[in-house]
Amino acid sequence: MQKGKGRTSRIRRRKLCRSSQSRGVNESHKSEFIELRKWLKARKFQDSNLAPACFPGTGRGLMSQTSLQEGQMIISLPESCLLTTDTVIRSYLGAYITKWKPPPSPLLALCTFLVSEKHAGHRSLWKPYLEILPKAYTCPVCLEPEVVNLLPKSLKAKAEEQRAHVQEFFASSRDFFSSLQPLFAEAVDSIFSYSALLWAWCTVNTRAVYLRPRQRECLSAEPDTCALAPYLDLLNHSPHVQVKAAFNEETHSYEIRTTSRWRKHEEVFICYGPHDNQRLFLEYGFVSVHNPHACVYVSREILVKYLPSTDKQMDKKISILKDHGYIENLTFGWDGPSWRLLTALKLLCLEAEKFTCWKKVLLGEVISDTNEKTSLDIAQKICYYFIEETNAVLQKVSHMKDEKEALINQLTLVESLWTEELKILRASAETLHSLQTAFT
């Protein structure tokens, strides 16, 4: 047999291909990471488990330098490396924060420090960390309005709320920024601009780790639970892993232990929580492919779209669903329509003579084959409606990518969200078809 043509050779090549697809390119040699390592070492942090790398699909992350076993410590970052409100209060900003009334929020304190230190440039003691932070973010609040208009309706509404929240945050903080003028030679308006605060807000919102709530008299009563964790925050999210993460009061370090195993040179992930893709997009600015928690939301308007307008009991049915919490979080998932969605449809499809059985529907009881079949038919119509809508949006996004090159990164992100939702809807359509065969 010719060398390299056998079964063993083919298996070896397939493994090598899979490995090369998931293996990242080590970036430890880059100047920004060399400086960060020096900075961390000066703060008593040393690590031999992980190395910065660039991975296909996820971008910059951390790669295992050795095999990691279940329960093993991935990283232990000393308190001296964390950027918290304590850091801010101890800094040159402390006196200004302490005397400002009403007290600034913990979030404002962190954002102010980030903007100020970024402005300081090479003079900042936090420069090595600031250098590796993203220059821009992809949360909906950062997207162009015409891109936001392409989002699913429920996400678009939340994105607009997010933008309004950040704008209000900026407007309400301007007087405090003005009080900092003695610290700067330049006008504070040019330093603490909306774009600068937006960058800082996104940095905290997308990268902070959780600490046990603390309370300081010089800060407002809002929960003080955020800390920025240099190097540790390079760990990317995967919905398929679990970790144990918390601040250890005994070692005074933020520690992460894995409940998974990692081979050498694999990307090491953590899990931000069991979030669907719309939540990940809103809070972190990315979409997770094959996310088991991903779903497609059904609004009240779409829920009743294919129900008979002649149903005199419809308002009462809607009222019952609302009173019992069945009007929201109705979804299609990888396994088909959710139990909540089917339950809501079964109640809405109750015939007049069966209406008194609505409590049994909410308890999961079968009322009749007719009710079961009708609710599945309506679910299928809704699913097909979403598939048609999703294909239309994807086509529109594709045309915009050709016409608006400057927005291609934002459009690609939106495209990935809709693509994942289309996969879910197709899977749901297949499940519904299988369920309906029981009634044919």
Side-chain angles (χ1 to χ4, degrees), residues 122-231:
H122 68 276
R123 302 190 309 276
S124 172
L125 295 176
W126 290 80
K127 180 178 181 293
Y129 174 52
L130 296 171
E131 285 292 302
I132 66 157
L133 287 174
K135 302 296 184 286
Y137 290 91
T138 51
C139 304
V141 70
C142 301
L143 303 183
E144 291 298 319
E146 57 190 313
V147 178
V148 174
N149 283 335
L150 296 169
L151 297 175
K153 288 181 181 178
S154 58
L155 180 57
K156 180 186 172 186
K158 291 176 182 176
E160 289 170 346
E161 288 176 12
Q162 187 184 68
R163 186 184 298 274
H165 169 74
V166 177
Q167 289 173 341
E168 167 58 26
F169 180 52
F170 173 67
S172 64
S173 304
R174 298 188 73 175
D175 286 344
F176 171 68
F177 296 150
S178 295
S179 74
L180 305 178
Q181 186 61 69
L183 293 171
F184 303 97
E186 303 90 336
V188 289
D189 284 350
S190 66
I191 300 169
F192 294 93
S193 63
Y194 176 75
S195 60
L197 187 68
L198 177 60
W199 171 83
W201 184 89
C202 289
T203 297
V204 176
N205 197 58
T206 63
R207 307 181 78 82
V209 297
Y210 178 85
L211 297 181
R212 186 177 297 176
R214 298 160 295 167
Q215 186 64 54
R216 280 181 163 274
E217 288 186 9
C218 61
L219 296 175
S220 69
E222 294 175 33
D224 185 3
T225 58
C226 290
L228 290 170
Y231 196 67

Side-chain angles (χ1 to χ4, degrees), residues 9-21:
S9 180
R10 288 197 299 274
I11 293 172
R12 188 180 298 119
R13 284 199 301 272
R14 283 198 295 269
K15 286 183 176 178
L16 184 62
C17 180
R18 286 197 299 268
S19 175
S20 63
Q21 287 173 350

Side-chain angles (χ1 to χ4, degrees), residues 197-265:
L197 187 68
L198 177 60
W199 171 83
W201 184 89
C202 289
T203 297
V204 176
N205 197 58
T206 63
R207 307 181 78 82
V209 297
Y210 178 85
L211 297 181
R212 186 177 297 176
R214 298 160 295 167
Q215 186 64 54
R216 280 181 163 274
E217 288 186 9
C218 61
L219 296 175
S220 69
E222 294 175 33
D224 185 3
T225 58
C226 290
L228 290 170
Y231 196 67
L232 180 151
D233 62 8
L234 289 170
L235 288 163
N236 286 318
H237 164 82
S238 170
H240 306 289
V241 305
Q242 289 184 328
V243 296
K244 295 179 180 178
F247 185 80
N248 188 326
E249 298 289 350
E250 294 182 3
T251 62
H252 293 282
S253 299
Y254 193 91
E255 300 176 349
I256 298 180
R257 291 183 182 273
T258 178
T259 59
S260 309
R261 293 184 179 183
W262 303 97
R263 291 178 297 183
K264 187 176 181 179
H265 295 149

Side-chain angles (χ1 to χ4, degrees), residues 317 319-327 339-340 342-348 350 357-367:
K317 291 175 179 178
S319 179
I320 290 171
L321 290 176
K322 191 180 294 184
D323 291 343
H324 291 80
Y326 278 85
I327 206 70
W339 186 86
R340 288 174 57 82
L342 284 179
T343 299
L345 287 173
K346 288 174 186 178
L347 193 149
L348 292 170
L350 280 174
C357 299
W358 65 264
K359 288 184 180 179
K360 292 183 178 181
V361 174
L362 296 183
L363 291 173
E365 295 186 27
V366 175
I367 303 305

Side-chain angles (χ1 to χ4, degrees), residues 2-3 40 89 97 113 119 130 145 151 156 158 160 193 199 240 250 266 316 348 366 379 398 405 423 427 440:
Q2 190 176 345
K3 188 175 182 180
L40 290 167
I89 300 303
I97 290 173
F113 186 80
H119 173 73
L130 296 171
L151 297 175
K156 180 186 172 186
K158 291 176 182 176
E160 289 170 346
S193 63
W199 171 83
H240 306 289
E250 294 182 3
E266 278 189 318
K316 180 63 176 175
L348 292 170
V366 175
S398 180
E405 193 172 335
K423 293 176 187 175
T440 56

Side-chain angles (χ1 to χ4, degrees), residues 366-379:
V366 175
I367 303 305
S368 68
D369 284 353
T370 300
N371 180 259
E372 294 287 310
K373 184 179 185 306
T374 304
S375 59
L376 288 173
D377 288 344
I378 299 295

